Amino acid sequence: MNIGEIAQRAGVSRSTVSYALSGKRSVSEATRRKIQRVIDELGYRPNASARALANGRTSTLGLVFPPAGNHYTGMQLDFIGSVVEAAAAYDYDVLLSPSGADSDSSFQRLLGERRVDGAILMEIRLRDDRVDHLRTVGFPAVCIGRTEQPDGDWWVSLDHTALVKACVHHLADLGHRRVAFVNRPEQLLRAGYESAHRGLDGFTKAAAERGLTVRTYCCGDDAPSGQACVERILHDDPGTTAVVTLNEAALGGLYRGLTHAGLHVPRDFSVTGVVASRWAETVTPQLTAADVPAAEMGRLAVELLVERLDHPGAPPRHQLLTPPISLRASTAPAGADATT
């Protein structure tokens, strides 16, 4: 089914049908209703590419989301799902681009061929060439995360500094004096991933404020790496009684490592961190954590991008989220020997 057949059945020209579909020129209400009746009878659905050429919109958003390692973590998949679900509410499809830099061919196709109306960028780095490039060319984009200088950008982000600081203060209030920090993989820290850097900054600042003895560790995004990290922590300082982590993918391994060391959570060892609630609730005992609101962040990112597309001249807007710590069962007061 095509525009020519619709025009023939409605008794109008092809250009009139095109104008009625695109809205580029006015068409009388009677003619528009006649065309719509034919479209409804025939079940016509315009080709997406043709529609994009007609009205300048693809009805598709790009999600630029490189996997941090050789796979997507559970939290990353939560974010992808939240963006897709939120976009559907605005009648947008989502095209995923696993791009890590503005030179990547996937990223260039997304922009150069105008496959999408706007883009949502994830796994943001403090200095991110993708964000710089989109800002330079004026392409509508929203970041989930924020760069070193985010004032001129549209973004939604967690305040990782404040959240990790809150976790440290929670442990210090329970009497823990020797605490370790389990961060994301070393290559992400070297690459400037903002969540890893801001989380580390929050940990070191809070530890200094409370006079704690601390060590920091990078850890791979998987359970075996988490278990190995616990072994390193206990080897380096057997007196450690608590851990703060940003690495939800390693969480199961952290627990397993503590069990293999003969330590009971939370009687002997407390664990807390910044983790999505559904992952915090899958471990036993459930994790006391600042819950990452993946669904809310995905929804907010889509809302900001749709707003930017509908109002091209609007000033940049952003949302910085600081969810409270959800007290569950993985933290408890330190033992008497740990407070001295």
Side-chain angles (χ1 to χ4, degrees), residues 81-130:
S82 72
V83 168
V84 170
E85 184 175 342
Y90 288 94
D91 203 25
Y92 277 96
D93 297 322
V94 175
L95 179 62
L96 179 64
S97 172
S99 173
D102 69 357
S103 59
D104 286 357
S105 57
S106 174
F107 188 76
Q108 289 301 322
R109 285 195 303 271
L110 204 67
L111 303 181
E113 299 175 15
R114 284 281 171 170
R115 295 185 176 188
V116 297
D117 298 326
I120 294 172
L121 274 64
M122 296 200 63
E123 297 292 5
I124 300 299
R125 306 177 185 192
L126 292 174
R127 298 180 181 178
D128 200 307
D129 53 4
R130 301 168 304 164

Short mmCIF file of all heavy atoms in Angstrom, two decimals, residues 81-130:
data_model
loop_
_atom_site.label_atom_id
_atom_site.label_comp_id
_atom_site.label_asym_id
_atom_site.label_seq_id
_atom_site.Cartn_x
_atom_site.Cartn_y
_atom_site.Cartn_z
N GLY A 81 16.61 -1.02 29.85
CA GLY A 81 15.19 -1.31 29.90
C GLY A 81 14.36 -0.10 30.30
O GLY A 81 13.28 0.14 29.75
N SER A 82 14.87 0.70 31.25
CA SER A 82 14.12 1.86 31.71
C SER A 82 13.98 2.91 30.61
O SER A 82 12.93 3.54 30.47
CB SER A 82 14.78 2.46 32.95
OG SER A 82 15.99 3.12 32.64
N VAL A 83 15.04 3.10 29.83
CA VAL A 83 14.99 4.08 28.73
C VAL A 83 14.02 3.62 27.66
O VAL A 83 13.20 4.41 27.16
CB VAL A 83 16.40 4.30 28.14
CG1 VAL A 83 16.32 5.08 26.83
CG2 VAL A 83 17.29 5.03 29.13
N VAL A 84 14.07 2.34 27.29
CA VAL A 84 13.17 1.82 26.27
C VAL A 84 11.71 1.96 26.70
O VAL A 84 10.84 2.39 25.93
CB VAL A 84 13.50 0.34 25.97
CG1 VAL A 84 12.44 -0.29 25.08
CG2 VAL A 84 14.87 0.23 25.31
N GLU A 85 11.43 1.63 27.96
CA GLU A 85 10.06 1.70 28.46
C GLU A 85 9.57 3.15 28.51
O GLU A 85 8.43 3.45 28.12
CB GLU A 85 9.99 1.09 29.86
CG GLU A 85 8.59 1.04 30.44
CD GLU A 85 8.55 0.32 31.78
OE1 GLU A 85 9.50 -0.41 32.09
OE2 GLU A 85 7.56 0.50 32.50
N ALA A 86 10.42 4.06 28.98
CA ALA A 86 10.02 5.46 29.06
C ALA A 86 9.82 6.06 27.66
O ALA A 86 8.89 6.84 27.44
CB ALA A 86 11.07 6.26 29.82
N ALA A 87 10.69 5.69 26.71
CA ALA A 87 10.56 6.21 25.35
C ALA A 87 9.27 5.75 24.69
O ALA A 87 8.62 6.50 23.96
CB ALA A 87 11.77 5.78 24.52
N ALA A 88 8.87 4.51 24.96
CA ALA A 88 7.65 3.98 24.37
C ALA A 88 6.43 4.79 24.79
O ALA A 88 5.47 4.94 24.02
CB ALA A 88 7.47 2.51 24.77
N ALA A 89 6.46 5.34 26.01
CA ALA A 89 5.34 6.15 26.48
C ALA A 89 5.18 7.42 25.66
O ALA A 89 4.09 8.00 25.62
CB ALA A 89 5.54 6.50 27.95
N TYR A 90 6.26 7.87 25.01
CA TYR A 90 6.21 9.04 24.13
C TYR A 90 6.15 8.64 22.66
O TYR A 90 6.32 9.48 21.77
CB TYR A 90 7.43 9.92 24.37
CG TYR A 90 7.41 10.66 25.68
CD1 TYR A 90 8.03 10.14 26.81
CD2 TYR A 90 6.77 11.89 25.81
CE1 TYR A 90 8.01 10.82 28.03
CE2 TYR A 90 6.75 12.58 27.01
CZ TYR A 90 7.37 12.03 28.11
OH TYR A 90 7.35 12.71 29.31
N ASP A 91 5.91 7.36 22.40
CA ASP A 91 5.82 6.82 21.04
C ASP A 91 7.14 6.94 20.29
O ASP A 91 7.16 7.20 19.08
CB ASP A 91 4.70 7.53 20.26
CG ASP A 91 4.19 6.66 19.10
OD1 ASP A 91 4.34 5.42 19.18
OD2 ASP A 91 3.66 7.22 18.11
N TYR A 92 8.24 6.75 21.02
CA TYR A 92 9.57 6.71 20.40
C TYR A 92 10.13 5.29 20.47
O TYR A 92 9.93 4.59 21.48
CB TYR A 92 10.54 7.64 21.13
CG TYR A 92 10.48 9.09 20.72
CD1 TYR A 92 9.71 10.01 21.43
CD2 TYR A 92 11.21 9.54 19.62
CE1 TYR A 92 9.67 11.34 21.07
CE2 TYR A 92 11.17 10.88 19.24
CZ TYR A 92 10.40 11.77 19.97
OH TYR A 92 10.35 13.09 19.60
N ASP A 93 10.82 4.88 19.43
CA ASP A 93 11.64 3.68 19.47
C ASP A 93 13.03 4.06 19.97
O ASP A 93 13.39 5.24 20.01
CB ASP A 93 11.74 3.03 18.08
CG ASP A 93 10.39 2.56 17.57
OD1 ASP A 93 9.59 2.06 18.39
OD2 ASP A 93 10.13 2.70 16.35
N VAL A 94 13.83 3.05 20.33
CA VAL A 94 15.19 3.29 20.82
C VAL A 94 16.17 2.47 20.01
O VAL A 94 15.98 1.26 19.83
CB VAL A 94 15.32 2.95 22.32
CG1 VAL A 94 16.77 3.11 22.77
CG2 VAL A 94 14.42 3.85 23.15
N LEU A 95 17.22 3.11 19.52
CA LEU A 95 18.30 2.46 18.79
C LEU A 95 19.54 2.46 19.67
O LEU A 95 20.02 3.52 20.06
CB LEU A 95 18.57 3.19 17.48
CG LEU A 95 19.70 2.64 16.59
CD1 LEU A 95 19.37 1.22 16.13
CD2 LEU A 95 19.90 3.55 15.37
N LEU A 96 20.03 1.27 20.01
CA LEU A 96 21.19 1.15 20.89
C LEU A 96 22.48 1.21 20.09
O LEU A 96 22.66 0.48 19.12
CB LEU A 96 21.12 -0.16 21.68
CG LEU A 96 22.28 -0.46 22.63
CD1 LEU A 96 22.33 0.57 23.75
CD2 LEU A 96 22.14 -1.86 23.21
N SER A 97 23.39 2.08 20.53
CA SER A 97 24.71 2.19 19.91
C SER A 97 25.76 1.90 20.98
O SER A 97 25.92 2.67 21.92
CB SER A 97 24.93 3.59 19.34
OG SER A 97 26.27 3.75 18.91
N PRO A 98 26.49 0.78 20.86
CA PRO A 98 27.52 0.45 21.86
C PRO A 98 28.80 1.21 21.60
O PRO A 98 29.87 0.64 21.40
CB PRO A 98 27.71 -1.05 21.65
CG PRO A 98 27.45 -1.25 20.19
CD PRO A 98 26.38 -0.23 19.82
N SER A 99 28.70 2.54 21.60
CA SER A 99 29.82 3.39 21.18
C SER A 99 30.56 3.94 22.38
O SER A 99 29.95 4.37 23.36
CB SER A 99 29.30 4.53 20.31
OG SER A 99 30.32 5.44 20.03
N GLY A 100 31.89 3.96 22.28
CA GLY A 100 32.69 4.46 23.38
C GLY A 100 33.36 5.79 23.12
O GLY A 100 33.89 6.41 24.02
N ALA A 101 33.38 6.27 21.88
CA ALA A 101 34.08 7.52 21.55
C ALA A 101 33.46 8.11 20.30
O ALA A 101 32.80 7.43 19.53
CB ALA A 101 35.57 7.25 21.32
N ASP A 102 33.71 9.42 20.10
CA ASP A 102 33.08 10.07 18.94
C ASP A 102 33.67 9.59 17.62
O ASP A 102 33.12 9.86 16.56
CB ASP A 102 33.17 11.59 19.06
CG ASP A 102 34.59 12.14 18.93
OD1 ASP A 102 35.52 11.35 18.80
OD2 ASP A 102 34.74 13.38 18.95
N SER A 103 34.78 8.87 17.66
CA SER A 103 35.38 8.35 16.43
C SER A 103 34.83 6.97 16.05
O SER A 103 35.10 6.48 14.96
CB SER A 103 36.90 8.25 16.59
OG SER A 103 37.24 7.41 17.67
N ASP A 104 34.05 6.36 16.94
CA ASP A 104 33.49 5.03 16.65
C ASP A 104 32.55 5.11 15.46
O ASP A 104 31.76 6.05 15.32
CB ASP A 104 32.73 4.49 17.85
CG ASP A 104 33.65 4.03 18.97
OD1 ASP A 104 34.88 4.10 18.77
OD2 ASP A 104 33.15 3.62 20.03
N SER A 105 32.59 4.09 14.60
CA SER A 105 31.76 4.11 13.40
C SER A 105 30.28 4.08 13.74
O SER A 105 29.46 4.72 13.07
CB SER A 105 32.11 2.91 12.51
OG SER A 105 31.96 1.69 13.22
N SER A 106 29.90 3.35 14.81
CA SER A 106 28.49 3.30 15.21
C SER A 106 27.99 4.68 15.60
O SER A 106 26.90 5.10 15.22
CB SER A 106 28.31 2.32 16.37
OG SER A 106 27.00 2.35 16.88
N PHE A 107 28.80 5.39 16.35
CA PHE A 107 28.44 6.74 16.79
C PHE A 107 28.32 7.67 15.60
O PHE A 107 27.38 8.48 15.51
CB PHE A 107 29.48 7.23 17.79
CG PHE A 107 29.14 8.53 18.46
CD1 PHE A 107 28.21 8.57 19.48
CD2 PHE A 107 29.77 9.71 18.09
CE1 PHE A 107 27.89 9.77 20.11
CE2 PHE A 107 29.47 10.90 18.73
CZ PHE A 107 28.53 10.92 19.74
N GLN A 108 29.25 7.58 14.66
CA GLN A 108 29.22 8.45 13.49
C GLN A 108 28.02 8.17 12.60
O GLN A 108 27.42 9.09 12.05
CB GLN A 108 30.53 8.28 12.69
CG GLN A 108 31.74 8.89 13.38
CD GLN A 108 31.58 10.37 13.64
OE1 GLN A 108 31.02 11.10 12.83
NE2 GLN A 108 32.05 10.82 14.79
N ARG A 109 27.64 6.89 12.45
CA ARG A 109 26.46 6.56 11.65
C ARG A 109 25.21 7.13 12.30
O ARG A 109 24.31 7.64 11.63
CB ARG A 109 26.32 5.04 11.49
CG ARG A 109 27.28 4.44 10.50
CD ARG A 109 26.85 3.03 10.12
NE ARG A 109 26.72 2.15 11.29
CZ ARG A 109 27.72 1.43 11.78
NH1 ARG A 109 28.91 1.51 11.22
NH2 ARG A 109 27.53 0.65 12.83
N LEU A 110 25.16 7.04 13.62
CA LEU A 110 24.00 7.53 14.35
C LEU A 110 23.77 9.01 14.07
O LEU A 110 22.64 9.46 13.87
CB LEU A 110 24.23 7.32 15.85
CG LEU A 110 23.01 7.22 16.77
CD1 LEU A 110 22.22 5.97 16.47
CD2 LEU A 110 23.46 7.22 18.22
N LEU A 111 24.88 9.78 14.01
CA LEU A 111 24.77 11.22 13.80
C LEU A 111 24.74 11.58 12.33
O LEU A 111 23.86 12.31 11.88
CB LEU A 111 25.95 11.93 14.47
CG LEU A 111 26.15 11.70 15.96
CD1 LEU A 111 27.34 12.51 16.44
CD2 LEU A 111 24.92 12.07 16.74
N GLY A 112 25.71 11.06 11.58
CA GLY A 112 25.87 11.47 10.19
C GLY A 112 24.68 11.11 9.33
O GLY A 112 24.32 11.85 8.41
N GLU A 113 24.04 9.97 9.60
CA GLU A 113 22.90 9.54 8.80
C GLU A 113 21.57 9.96 9.42
O GLU A 113 20.51 9.60 8.93
CB GLU A 113 22.95 8.02 8.63
CG GLU A 113 24.21 7.55 7.91
CD GLU A 113 24.31 6.03 7.84
OE1 GLU A 113 23.28 5.37 8.08
OE2 GLU A 113 25.40 5.53 7.54
N ARG A 114 21.64 10.71 10.53
CA ARG A 114 20.44 11.20 11.21
C ARG A 114 19.43 10.07 11.42
O ARG A 114 18.24 10.19 11.10
CB ARG A 114 19.80 12.33 10.40
CG ARG A 114 20.56 13.65 10.54
CD ARG A 114 20.22 14.32 11.86
NE ARG A 114 21.09 15.48 12.13
CZ ARG A 114 20.88 16.34 13.10
NH1 ARG A 114 19.84 16.20 13.90
NH2 ARG A 114 21.71 17.34 13.31
N ARG A 115 19.91 8.97 11.98
CA ARG A 115 19.05 7.84 12.25
C ARG A 115 18.13 8.08 13.44
O ARG A 115 17.16 7.37 13.63
CB ARG A 115 19.89 6.59 12.51
CG ARG A 115 20.70 6.13 11.32
CD ARG A 115 21.40 4.82 11.61
NE ARG A 115 22.11 4.32 10.44
CZ ARG A 115 22.67 3.12 10.38
NH1 ARG A 115 22.62 2.31 11.42
NH2 ARG A 115 23.29 2.73 9.29
N VAL A 116 18.48 9.05 14.27
CA VAL A 116 17.71 9.32 15.48
C VAL A 116 17.48 10.82 15.60
O VAL A 116 18.21 11.63 15.02
CB VAL A 116 18.44 8.80 16.74
CG1 VAL A 116 18.58 7.28 16.69
CG2 VAL A 116 19.80 9.45 16.90
N ASP A 117 16.45 11.18 16.37
CA ASP A 117 16.15 12.60 16.59
C ASP A 117 17.03 13.20 17.68
O ASP A 117 17.30 14.40 17.67
CB ASP A 117 14.68 12.76 16.99
CG ASP A 117 13.74 12.30 15.89
OD1 ASP A 117 14.08 12.45 14.70
OD2 ASP A 117 12.66 11.75 16.21
N GLY A 118 17.43 12.39 18.63
CA GLY A 118 18.28 12.83 19.72
C GLY A 118 18.92 11.63 20.37
O GLY A 118 18.57 10.49 20.07
N ALA A 119 19.85 11.86 21.29
CA ALA A 119 20.60 10.75 21.88
C ALA A 119 20.66 10.88 23.40
O ALA A 119 20.72 11.99 23.94
CB ALA A 119 22.02 10.71 21.30
N ILE A 120 20.64 9.73 24.06
CA ILE A 120 20.91 9.63 25.49
C ILE A 120 22.26 8.93 25.64
O ILE A 120 22.46 7.85 25.09
CB ILE A 120 19.81 8.85 26.21
CG1 ILE A 120 18.49 9.63 26.14
CG2 ILE A 120 20.19 8.57 27.67
CD1 ILE A 120 17.29 8.85 26.66
N LEU A 121 23.18 9.56 26.36
CA LEU A 121 24.53 9.01 26.53
C LEU A 121 24.69 8.47 27.94
O LEU A 121 24.28 9.10 28.91
CB LEU A 121 25.59 10.10 26.29
CG LEU A 121 26.04 10.34 24.85
CD1 LEU A 121 24.89 10.87 24.01
CD2 LEU A 121 27.19 11.34 24.82
N MET A 122 25.31 7.28 28.03
CA MET A 122 25.58 6.67 29.33
C MET A 122 27.06 6.32 29.47
O MET A 122 27.83 6.50 28.54
CB MET A 122 24.70 5.43 29.52
CG MET A 122 23.22 5.77 29.57
SD MET A 122 22.23 4.50 30.34
CE MET A 122 22.89 4.52 32.01
N GLU A 123 27.42 5.83 30.67
CA GLU A 123 28.82 5.56 31.01
C GLU A 123 29.66 6.81 30.74
O GLU A 123 30.65 6.80 30.00
CB GLU A 123 29.36 4.35 30.23
CG GLU A 123 28.64 3.04 30.55
CD GLU A 123 28.90 2.54 31.97
OE1 GLU A 123 29.56 3.24 32.75
OE2 GLU A 123 28.44 1.43 32.29
N ILE A 124 29.24 7.90 31.37
CA ILE A 124 29.86 9.20 31.14
C ILE A 124 31.22 9.28 31.83
O ILE A 124 31.40 8.78 32.94
CB ILE A 124 28.95 10.32 31.65
CG1 ILE A 124 27.61 10.28 30.93
CG2 ILE A 124 29.61 11.69 31.49
CD1 ILE A 124 27.71 10.48 29.44
N ARG A 125 32.16 9.90 31.14
CA ARG A 125 33.49 10.15 31.69
C ARG A 125 33.62 11.62 32.08
O ARG A 125 32.92 12.47 31.53
CB ARG A 125 34.56 9.77 30.68
CG ARG A 125 34.40 8.34 30.19
CD ARG A 125 35.40 7.96 29.13
NE ARG A 125 35.13 6.61 28.62
CZ ARG A 125 35.94 5.92 27.87
NH1 ARG A 125 37.11 6.43 27.52
NH2 ARG A 125 35.62 4.71 27.46
N LEU A 126 34.51 11.90 33.01
CA LEU A 126 34.68 13.29 33.44
C LEU A 126 35.04 14.18 32.26
O LEU A 126 34.55 15.31 32.15
CB LEU A 126 35.76 13.37 34.52
CG LEU A 126 35.39 12.74 35.87
CD1 LEU A 126 36.60 12.76 36.80
CD2 LEU A 126 34.21 13.45 36.50
N ARG A 127 35.87 13.67 31.38
CA ARG A 127 36.16 14.35 30.12
C ARG A 127 35.71 13.42 29.00
O ARG A 127 36.39 12.44 28.69
CB ARG A 127 37.65 14.68 30.01
CG ARG A 127 38.13 15.64 31.09
CD ARG A 127 39.60 15.95 30.96
NE ARG A 127 40.06 16.84 32.03
CZ ARG A 127 41.31 17.25 32.18
NH1 ARG A 127 42.24 16.82 31.32
NH2 ARG A 127 41.65 18.05 33.17
N ASP A 128 34.58 13.72 28.41
CA ASP A 128 33.93 12.79 27.48
C ASP A 128 33.86 13.40 26.09
O ASP A 128 33.15 14.39 25.86
CB ASP A 128 32.53 12.46 28.00
CG ASP A 128 31.97 11.19 27.40
OD1 ASP A 128 31.96 11.08 26.16
OD2 ASP A 128 31.56 10.30 28.18
N ASP A 129 34.62 12.82 25.14
CA ASP A 129 34.67 13.40 23.80
C ASP A 129 33.34 13.30 23.08
O ASP A 129 33.02 14.10 22.20
CB ASP A 129 35.80 12.78 22.97
CG ASP A 129 35.74 11.26 22.92
OD1 ASP A 129 34.80 10.68 23.47
OD2 ASP A 129 36.66 10.66 22.33
N ARG A 130 32.50 12.30 23.45
CA ARG A 130 31.18 12.19 22.82
C ARG A 130 30.32 13.40 23.18
O ARG A 130 29.66 14.00 22.33
CB ARG A 130 30.48 10.91 23.28
CG ARG A 130 31.23 9.63 22.96
CD ARG A 130 30.61 8.46 23.70
NE ARG A 130 30.56 8.71 25.15
CZ ARG A 130 29.82 8.02 26.01
NH1 ARG A 130 29.05 7.04 25.58
NH2 ARG A 130 29.84 8.30 27.30
#
